[in-house]
Amino acid sequence: MNEMKTAIYPGSFDPVTLGHLDIIRRASVMFDRLIVAVMHNQNKQPMFSVRERMDFLRRTTEGLPNIEITSFGGLLADYAKQQGACAVVKGLRAVSDFEYEFQMALANRKLNPELDTVFLMTSAEYMYLSSSVVKDIAVHGGSVAGFVPDGIIQDIVRRTGKDG
Ligand code: ADP
């Protein structure tokens, strides 16, 4: 029996937002080890490569000792087993997130009965915040300050070619 409690927080993180970081901080005190896993997702056309997204996460979680940044493709249930994780962490923003997440949680439990899903409610100030909102603002030349960590603002500005 492994005493160490590992959880996985999966997502696209394209790019990481203050909403994601809030969930990461809160989950990191609940588990001994938190794996933040960047998903390879063929369906979406990302703004940043998996490597860039992992780099942003690394730079912005530097002070947190029990975080690991990884990437994965394929089934989350299999990846969780491979990493010895007992839980998947998900953030919930609105009721609209719920139905899909509920379905995924039940499917994952069926695939890996040892895996539970833990939902953390968003902090009120990040309720409206998603990576897509950030990208929309950035491509139209708006400022993403206050939406993403300061350390990645320049990377976003450089990618969109707008100076926000
Ligand atoms: P998004 O593009 O919507 O930000 P991600 O796939 O990167 O999507 O999100 C990864 C996880 O983080 C999901 O569980 C999502 O519900 C959660 N999440 C994203 N933004 C927030 C937020 N502002 N507050 C709480 N949870 C969030």
Side-chain angles (χ1 to χ4, degrees):
M1 184 72 200
N2 189 354
E3 291 291 317
M4 181 121 136
K5 296 283 184 212
T6 299
I8 298 196
Y9 177 38
S12 308
F13 306 107
D14 183 39
V16 61
T17 68
L18 294 180
H20 295 135
L21 284 177
D22 175 60
I23 299 290
I24 291 173
R25 275 193 212 101
R26 288 161 56 198
S28 75
V29 298
M30 297 172 64
F31 295 95
D32 300 307
R33 176 170 166 245
L34 181 69
I35 298 175
V36 182
V38 177
M39 293 186 300
H40 301 269
N41 188 345
Q42 272 92 359
N43 302 331
K44 287 192 208 163
Q45 186 58 47
M47 178 175 277
F48 297 99
S49 69
V50 169
R51 277 184 66 165
E52 288 170 316
R53 287 180 260 158
M54 290 174 71
D55 175 52
F56 295 167
L57 280 159
R58 270 199 204 98
R59 277 154 48 189
T60 51
T61 59
E62 246 171 3
L64 299 169
N66 57 341
I67 309 283
E68 273 171 48
I69 312 297
T70 64
S71 69
F72 82 105
L75 284 178
L76 178 62
D78 292 341
Y79 184 66
K81 189 173 280 177
Q82 198 187 308
Q83 294 292 325
C86 62
V88 175
V89 170
K90 287 300 193 92
L92 279 185
R93 278 161 294 197
V95 182
S96 51
D97 278 346
F98 181 79
E99 198 167 315
Y100 175 74
E101 294 296 352
F102 186 51
Q103 192 180 17
M104 292 299 293
L106 291 183
N108 280 328
R109 182 171 319 143
K110 177 111 177 134
L111 291 169
N112 178 351
E114 271 126 64
L115 188 65
D116 228 316
T117 305
V118 173
F119 292 100
L120 295 182
M121 293 297 156
T122 182
S123 296
E125 65 265 44
Y126 303 131
M127 214 173 127
Y128 59 88
L129 189 50
S130 69
S131 298
S132 333
V133 164
V134 167
K135 285 182 277 192
D136 275 351
I137 294 171
V139 298
H140 294 105
S143 167
V144 294
F147 295 81
V148 299
D150 289 346
I152 71 165
I153 293 176
Q154 280 316 310
D155 299 85
I156 297 173
V157 169
R158 232 174 281 132
R159 180 58 41 94
T160 59
K162 312 263 169 138
D163 46 26

